[in-house]
Amino acid sequence: MKQNLLTYFILIYLITTSISISQNMKLSGTVKESTTNLILSNANIIAEPQGDSAMKFSISNDNGYFELKLEKDETYKITISYLGYIPQEITYKAIESKTIAISLKKDTESLGEVTLNYTPPIVIKKDTMSFKVDAFKTGDERKLRDVLKNLPTVEVDKQGNVTVKGKKVSRVLVENKQFFTGDSKLAVNNIPADVVDKVEVLDNYSDVAFLKGLEDSDEMVMNVKLKEDKKKFVFGDVEAATGIKERYILNPKLYYYSPKTSLNMITDFNNTGKKSFTFQDYLDFNGGISKFFSNNQSYLSLFDNDFTRFLNNQNFVENTNQFNAINISHDFNNKLSLTGYSILSNDKLQTLTTTTNNYIASDNLIENRRNEFDNTNKFGIGKFAFNYAPDDNTELLFESNIKASKNTIQGNIVTASSFINSSINQNERIDDFTFRESVELHKQFNKKNTISVVLNYNFTRSQPKTNWRTNESFLNGLLPIEDEAILDINSNKLRKTHSFKVVGKYYYVLNKLNHLYFTTGANVVNDNYSTFDFQLLQDGTTNDFTDSNFGNQSRVNFNDLYFGVDYKFKSGIVTIKPSLTYHTFFWGVEQFTEQNKRTKAVLLPKFTTKVEFNSSKVLSFNYSLQTRFPTVTQFANRFTLTNFNNIYRGDETLENELYHNARISYYRFSMFKNIQYNLSVNYRKSTQNLKTANVIQGIDNVLTPILLDAVDESINFRGSLKKGYGKVKLSAKTNVSLSNFFTSVNDELIENTSNNYTVGGGISTRFKDYPNIGVGYNKTFSSYKANTSAKFENDVFNINLSYDFLNDFIFKIDYKREAFQNTTLDNTNTFDVANSSLFYQKENSAWGFEISASNLFGVDFRQRNSFSNILVSDERTFIQPRILLLKISYKL
């Protein structure tokens, strides 16, 4: 009932505010070239009011048509401009709607550069969109993320990920220099809104200018341009907060930008759950070999790393974060530049989960488990790079990266079932170190001949150590445990990896419409992995598990030599590029004195097609055959203890898997109609799959990697639609995911079918003189079928409100309700969370004050159900309690 009343209130609010601003007159027309009548699309039309009304603008569509909705009885100066043409000005009084025809003359004197006495709100030039942010501000913006949310086609999620026209922004630059790792989260949450002048979005971006049009970069980059008075000037802000139960925040940020030097510093000390460094930041730091030659056949995987488990943990009872980051860039001259950053972090977490597991594979055995842990994650990362460009056709890059981390986890596991009742104290420590060097050379000899060469060396060392202490034996029949009052079980692992990559690419331009590319390279990996599992006895001696087939001494030497040919040609609006890459793989697995050497040749085709009707309407298709090899942990053929109820054993005879990937996507955006939609279909099929076989007894699980000769298929459809009506934006989306795959449980091959259907929509406003609200609702239907079946439904409703009132106050509140229903078991879990803040800052004052509250309802936990062909789980994850803060901020 309350939710229905809230919905009615929102509808009434939107209707009344829309009526109050709907007294408009329409000025429409077409823009053409004066002598040839050539249609001019993406022309800027600016309406500057002579009175107190707001400035309006429009951009001509593909047919040269534009439309302005202007306030009745207001007089406007209308300016129509287009790059390379003389601007035209007219005066219009909005007494009645009117249609006009605009003819622009070419500017033959300024060589295509037009100087205007104003800046258009949006400028579109091929792959670049530029936004003048002041034209889109509503008054309640504090950080860059608030600014970006107001820009057409730009979306920012709660994590700080930015998408433009449905495409993710991969890097953020400030004044053409990368901001720390480039990940958008640090930028959107820290850069003050009032220092931003323009936001540029650069699609198909290339760090090397002369490779633009040669390499098929799909990267989208956002470049933030600062206001002139913020250049050659130190700016930033300091935030400090205190709250009940000794909550605190200390968050100073300093920035300095000049034509040659930029320096950024971000410090964040808090115990409110705010994480300044995320798993995405880690992926950006570990970008691997140059983006020019990213290799999806890589032997190594960033996800095959114990360190990432700590960064992925987003649910906790308590969190204390200490974070410091420094970013510097300096141009010594117009040929040589330096960029670098360092990040130090000390993150402490307390986590608590309670789970009821129903083990389907063990005759529906019921286990109740409680996990309570203290986690500490300390790490430091650093990078510096020199870029040397002696001329416009040569670029040399040297880059060095380093990361060191120390992670500890201490806590208790309580498990209760008919199979085992035990309380287990677990202590784990992971020391991790990574060092990487890379050198790139790019040289354009002439317009027809260009080369690129990249060399990369990477060293990683990971050393996890885990200790379990309990008075009850576990993994009975699998571990050769000697009976003592207190059992002290240990598992030590050590992995060292050296990898070297060299890639060369030759670009041969036959003509403007036909390109031929040749690529050759080598990947050489030496991977060493050792494990030692044992029991420390009370008399100080060791019960070694080696005689029970535990303990690994494995080495993998992996070599990949390859040669590829790409042919790219363009016909009208269609660009097609077929590719073939021939790989010869050599790998040897050595376990103690045993050796297993293999050789395999693989031909991997790739095909891409892009149909560019114009810059706002693109259809693309991509197909590739890809391969993936096992890692040393999957090759190690002796047992390894991985958890108190899990043992892992590899297989040295494993080979690579092959899979087909195909994707078709369509994008359409109309600035004139203020509409945007994205459609995509992804299909994946594999006939040989690297899987993990499970042999389950009670709650104990022995896991073994296998190469399964069975067809796995998945298809995913995504669609989104966004439509603007003045200051109101509507959105709708759908996601359909269908997959069919095989698993192995207790030596039985099981076919699995998983289907997910999601539909959703939302509405948001962007008023200057009224409160702004956003409302969204998503509904998901899920079904899973294997040796048993289950069906789920998930409803997510969210609403947020932001109101800039009395000139100096900003009030914000957000609410989210999530209901998860297991329709098979007929149970429903709901989760409600709300946050609110009131911010005050006198105009032209450097001081700001804020009262904020998170988890207003004091919710203790999130509850979710999950399902697989092994078990059904009902999990409660406890979260931070209600937090009340008083914050003071000062702008420098």
Side-chain angles (χ1 to χ4, degrees):
M1 183 64 181
K2 290 181 180 179
Q3 189 166 319
N4 290 335
L5 289 174
L6 182 62
T7 303
Y8 296 148
F9 169 77
I10 292 167
L11 291 174
I12 293 171
Y13 167 76
L14 291 173
I15 291 170
T16 55
T17 52
S18 297
I19 291 173
S20 67
I21 62 173
S22 62
Q23 303 301 314
N24 295 325
M25 294 292 107
K26 183 172 72 173
L27 176 67
S28 60
T30 55
V31 184
K32 296 182 179 180
E33 203 270 341
S34 60
T35 56
T36 64
N37 282 329
L38 176 69
I39 291 173
L40 299 179
S41 61
N42 294 328
N44 281 276
I45 300 91
I46 309 294
E48 296 181 83
Q50 304 302 297
D52 297 329
S53 303
M55 183 181 71
K56 302 294 181 68
F57 72 94
S58 180
I59 292 180
S60 61
N61 67 5
D62 298 340
N63 298 317
Y65 181 77
F66 71 90
E67 189 176 285
L68 288 166
K69 292 183 179 180
L70 306 175
E71 292 191 24
K72 188 177 181 180
D73 296 327
E74 179 68 88
T75 300
Y76 292 87
K77 182 176 74 173
I78 311 296
T79 304
I80 303 95
S81 64
Y82 191 82
L83 186 67
Y85 289 77
I86 300 173
Q88 186 176 137
E89 293 184 355
I90 62 173
T91 300
Y92 167 70
K93 187 170 184 178
I95 300 176
E96 59 182 3
S97 297
K98 186 177 182 180
T99 300
I100 60 177
I102 302 297
S103 297
L104 297 183
K105 295 180 179 180
K106 281 191 176 183
D107 188 347
T108 58
E109 297 181 359
S110 61
L111 298 177
E113 293 295 330
V114 179
T115 302
L116 304 174
N117 58 4
Y118 68 93
T119 301
I122 301 177
V123 177
I124 301 176
K125 301 176 185 177
K126 295 184 179 179
D127 293 335
T128 301
M129 280 200 307
S130 179
F131 301 92
K132 180 70 174 176
V133 300
D134 284 344
F136 302 94
K137 285 186 176 181
T138 61
D140 57 1
E141 298 85 3
R142 294 181 58 194
K143 299 296 181 183
L144 176 61
R145 69 181 300 131
D146 303 316
V147 173
L148 296 179
K149 287 180 179 180
N150 295 332
L151 304 182
T153 76
V154 181
E155 302 287 336
V156 185
D157 65 18
K158 288 187 176 181
Q159 289 71 41
N161 299 306
V162 181
T163 57
V164 181
K165 298 188 293 187
K167 185 176 179 180
K168 184 176 180 181
V169 172
S170 57
R171 278 191 288 164
V172 173
L173 314 178
V174 177
E175 291 293 327
N176 302 308
K177 297 177 174 64
Q178 183 166 298
F179 191 75
F180 289 94
T181 65
D183 178 55
S184 60
K185 180 177 180 291
L186 277 177
V188 302
N189 290 330
N190 288 286
I191 296 177
D194 59 356
V195 306
V196 180
D197 181 37
K198 296 179 183 177
V199 171
E200 297 176 339
V201 179
L202 314 171
D203 201 4
N204 303 315
Y205 180 79
S206 174
D207 285 305
V208 181
F210 57 78
L211 289 182
K212 177 84 171 179
L214 295 178
E215 59 155 333
D216 292 321
S217 170
D218 196 37
E219 187 178 16
M220 179 173 280
V221 169
M222 180 172 285
N223 183 36
V224 177
K225 306 292 286 186
L226 303 177
K227 294 180 177 178
E228 286 299 324
D229 61 348
K230 299 301 178 182
K231 299 176 184 179
K232 291 187 178 180
F233 186 76
V234 175
F235 65 93
D237 57 59
V238 179
E239 295 179 339
T242 185
I244 61 174
K245 296 184 179 180
E246 300 182 344
R247 301 291 179 182
Y248 64 86
I249 293 176
L250 180 61
N251 185 203
K253 298 177 282 286
L254 293 174
Y255 309 94
Y256 172 76
Y257 283 89
S258 71
K260 286 193 173 183
T261 304
S262 68
L263 180 64
N264 307 300
M265 186 187 76
I266 298 174
T267 300
D268 188 5
F269 295 161
N270 74 81
N271 62 354
T272 62
K274 177 185 174 184
K275 283 191 172 185
S276 297
F277 192 87
T278 65
F279 181 63
Q280 183 59 50
D281 295 311
Y282 174 70
L283 293 182
D284 291 328
F285 173 79
N286 287 277
I289 201 166
S290 168
K291 291 183 175 65
F292 297 109
F293 310 112
S294 57
N295 183 7
N296 52 24
Q297 283 78 46
S298 174
Y299 166 82
L300 301 172
S301 171
L302 294 176
F303 296 92
D304 187 22
N305 189 322
D306 292 288
F307 173 65
T308 61
R309 290 189 291 121
F310 292 84
L311 296 178
N312 269 329
N313 197 338
Q314 298 297 318
N315 294 309
F316 37 77
V317 179
E318 293 292 341
N319 176 216
T320 300
N321 182 59
Q322 298 174 343
F323 176 86
N324 182 263
I326 298 176
N327 180 204
I328 186 172
S329 64
H330 178 69
D331 296 333
F332 296 98
N333 49 51
N334 60 357
K335 297 180 179 180
L336 180 64
S337 63
L338 165 70
T339 59
Y341 62 80
S342 69
I343 296 175
L344 299 174
S345 178
N346 183 8
D347 198 16
K348 295 181 180 180
L349 299 174
Q350 293 180 18
T351 61
L352 173 61
T353 60
T354 60
T355 310
T356 298
N357 294 318
N358 180 358
Y359 287 84
I360 301 171
S362 293
D363 298 323
N364 293 315
L365 173 73
I366 302 298
E367 177 207 17
N368 293 306
R369 187 184 299 184
R370 177 187 174 94
N371 293 336
E372 189 170 7
F373 289 105
D374 292 329
N375 305 267
T376 301
N377 177 19
K378 298 179 180 180
F379 70 87
I381 65 176
K383 167 191 169 181
F384 72 88
F386 287 95
N387 190 295
Y388 178 61
D391 54 59
D392 292 339
N393 300 315
T394 307
E395 192 153 328
L396 180 65
L397 175 68
F398 172 80
E399 184 176 303
S400 212
N401 299 268
I402 191 169
K403 175 180 72 70
S405 66
K406 176 183 177 181
N407 311 291
T408 60
I409 178 170
Q410 297 177 330
N412 198 56
I413 303 169
V414 178
T415 176
S417 67
S418 60
F419 185 78
I420 183 176
N421 287 281
S422 183
S423 176
I424 304 169
N425 182 265
Q426 179 175 316
N427 292 279
E428 186 174 4
R429 171 173 171 168
I430 302 173
D431 294 329
D432 200 29
F433 177 79
T434 300
F435 174 74
R436 185 171 71 245
E437 294 275 1
S438 64
V439 179
E440 299 180 15
L441 172 64
H442 308 281
K443 175 68 177 178
Q444 186 175 58
F445 298 97
N446 49 55
K447 291 184 178 181
K448 288 184 174 292
N449 298 278
T450 304
I451 64 167
S452 292
V453 179
V454 177
L455 292 90
N456 179 277
Y457 169 74
N458 190 83
F459 170 75
T460 61
R461 183 181 187 274
S462 180
Q463 189 172 15
K465 294 182 178 181
T466 309
N467 169 259
W468 297 271
R469 291 174 62 85
T470 180
N471 57 4
E472 294 286 341
S473 181
F474 57 88
L475 287 168
N476 294 318
L478 298 172
L479 288 181
I481 295 176
E482 293 188 14
D483 189 23
E484 291 193 330
I486 300 297
L487 303 177
D488 191 332
I489 311 300
N490 297 270
S491 179
N492 297 342
K493 304 178 184 69
L494 176 62
R495 183 176 178 182
K496 295 181 181 180
T497 305
H498 299 266
S499 66
F500 178 76
K501 301 179 182 181
V502 57
V503 186
K505 191 164 187 176
Y506 170 55
Y507 305 88
Y508 180 56
V509 178
L510 300 170
N511 51 53
K512 289 183 178 181
L513 302 179
N514 295 270
H515 294 184
L516 195 59
Y517 308 146
F518 300 94
T519 305
T520 186
N523 301 331
V524 179
V525 180
N526 178 265
D527 210 353
N528 295 273
Y529 179 63
S530 63
T531 65
F532 180 45
D533 302 293
F534 62 96
Q535 178 184 4
L536 185 62
L537 302 176
Q538 292 181 357
D539 62 5
T541 59
T542 297
N543 173 23
D544 189 346
F545 297 164
T546 302
D547 292 339
S548 297
N549 208 29
F550 281 81
N552 289 278
Q553 290 287 342
S554 299
R555 173 181 294 177
V556 173
N557 292 308
F558 179 86
N559 301 278
D560 172 20
L561 305 178
Y562 58 93
F563 177 79
V565 179
D566 305 73
Y567 174 55
K568 183 167 72 173
F569 62 94
K570 186 174 183 179
S571 176
I573 63 174
V574 181
T575 302
I576 298 175
K577 191 177 86 165
S579 308
L580 279 176
T581 305
Y582 182 79
H583 291 259
T584 303
F585 298 103
F586 308 89
W587 73 97
V589 181
E590 182 179 330
Q591 175 81 300
F592 296 105
T593 59
E594 300 177 4
Q595 291 189 357
N596 185 2
K597 296 184 177 181
R598 306 293 296 273
T599 301
K600 176 176 279 191
V602 179
L603 184 64
L604 300 177
K606 186 176 180 180
F607 182 83
T608 62
T609 300
K610 180 181 286 188
V611 183
E612 294 183 272
F613 302 96
N614 52 55
S615 61
S616 300
K617 184 164 60 174
V618 179
L619 175 69
S620 62
F621 172 77
N622 299 277
Y623 164 79
S624 63
L625 178 63
Q626 299 180 21
T627 186
R628 184 171 71 93
F629 278 80
T631 64
V632 67
T633 58
Q634 294 171 301
F635 281 129
N637 62 8
R638 291 170 66 88
F639 290 123
T640 300
L641 182 60
T642 57
N643 204 349
F644 81 95
N645 66 329
N646 286 341
I647 291 177
Y648 189 88
R649 181 181 185 179
D651 183 354
E652 76 281 7
T653 65
L654 289 175
E655 294 191 11
N656 61 302
E657 65 175 356
L658 285 169
Y659 52 95
H660 303 267
N661 269 335
R663 183 176 190 270
I664 185 168
S665 63
Y666 178 70
Y667 165 76
R668 178 75 172 96
F669 167 68
S670 172
M671 186 73 72
F672 162 68
K673 294 183 178 181
N674 199 4
I675 190 171
Q676 167 191 336
Y677 46 89
N678 292 274
L679 301 172
S680 67
V681 179
N682 293 269
Y683 175 74
R684 171 172 168 149
K685 179 180 180 180
S686 56
T687 55
Q688 285 191 319
N689 307 279
L690 285 170
K691 300 279 189 175
T692 299
N694 299 269
V695 177
I696 299 175
Q697 181 180 2
I699 69 169
D700 295 341
N701 192 0
V702 178
L703 302 98
T704 305
I706 58 174
L707 189 64
L708 203 59
D709 289 319
V711 176
D712 283 4
E713 286 183 289
S714 65
I715 187 168
N716 179 264
F717 168 79
R718 292 178 182 270
S720 67
L721 170 67
K722 297 180 177 67
K723 170 64 178 173
Y725 294 94
K727 301 295 185 180
V728 179
K729 181 170 68 175
L730 302 177
S731 64
K733 65 178 180 180
T734 184
N735 184 14
V736 178
S737 178
L738 311 174
S739 59
N740 193 79
F741 57 95
F742 288 85
T743 56
S744 176
V745 180
N746 292 338
D747 298 322
E748 179 185 357
L749 190 63
I750 300 174
E751 184 176 3
N752 301 258
T753 300
S754 177
N755 299 325
N756 296 278
Y757 308 87
T758 299
V759 292
I763 184 170
S764 61
T765 66
R766 192 175 61 84
F767 300 123
K768 271 196 172 183
D769 301 320
Y770 300 91
N772 284 300
I773 66 170
V775 183
Y777 174 73
N778 291 323
K779 176 77 173 183
T780 300
F781 301 89
S782 302
S783 64
Y784 184 88
K785 184 178 180 181
N787 44 5
T788 186
S789 61
K791 291 185 178 180
F792 306 95
E793 293 182 14
N794 195 36
D795 297 85
V796 179
F797 172 79
N798 61 77
I799 179 171
N800 62 77
L801 181 144
S802 177
Y803 186 29
D804 178 11
F805 64 99
L806 299 179
N807 295 323
D808 303 323
F809 290 88
I810 300 174
F811 174 71
K812 292 185 178 182
I813 186 168
D814 63 84
Y815 166 75
K816 178 180 179 182
R817 178 179 177 84
E818 185 172 357
F820 183 83
Q821 182 180 9
N822 186 328
T823 55
T824 303
L825 301 179
D826 194 25
N827 62 36
T828 302
N829 300 313
T830 59
F831 176 76
D832 297 84
V833 64
N835 309 288
S836 182
S837 67
L838 177 63
F839 178 75
Y840 169 78
Q841 186 170 29
K842 192 75 174 175
E843 188 175 359
N844 299 322
S845 172
W847 293 94
F849 304 89
E850 182 180 32
I851 300 174
S852 66
S854 60
N855 192 5
L856 278 171
F857 303 140
V859 178
D860 294 323
F861 57 83
R862 302 173 186 262
Q863 187 168 356
R864 293 295 300 267
N865 296 109
S866 61
F867 186 90
S868 72
N869 54 14
I870 298 174
L871 57 82
V872 177
S873 293
D874 182 11
E875 181 180 80
R876 290 185 175 187
T877 302
F878 289 78
I879 63 174
Q880 284 196 130
R882 182 188 298 113
I883 296 177
L884 302 176
L885 291 172
L886 172 63
K887 184 186 294 184
I888 300 174
S889 61
Y890 181 78
K891 288 183 176 293
L892 302 178

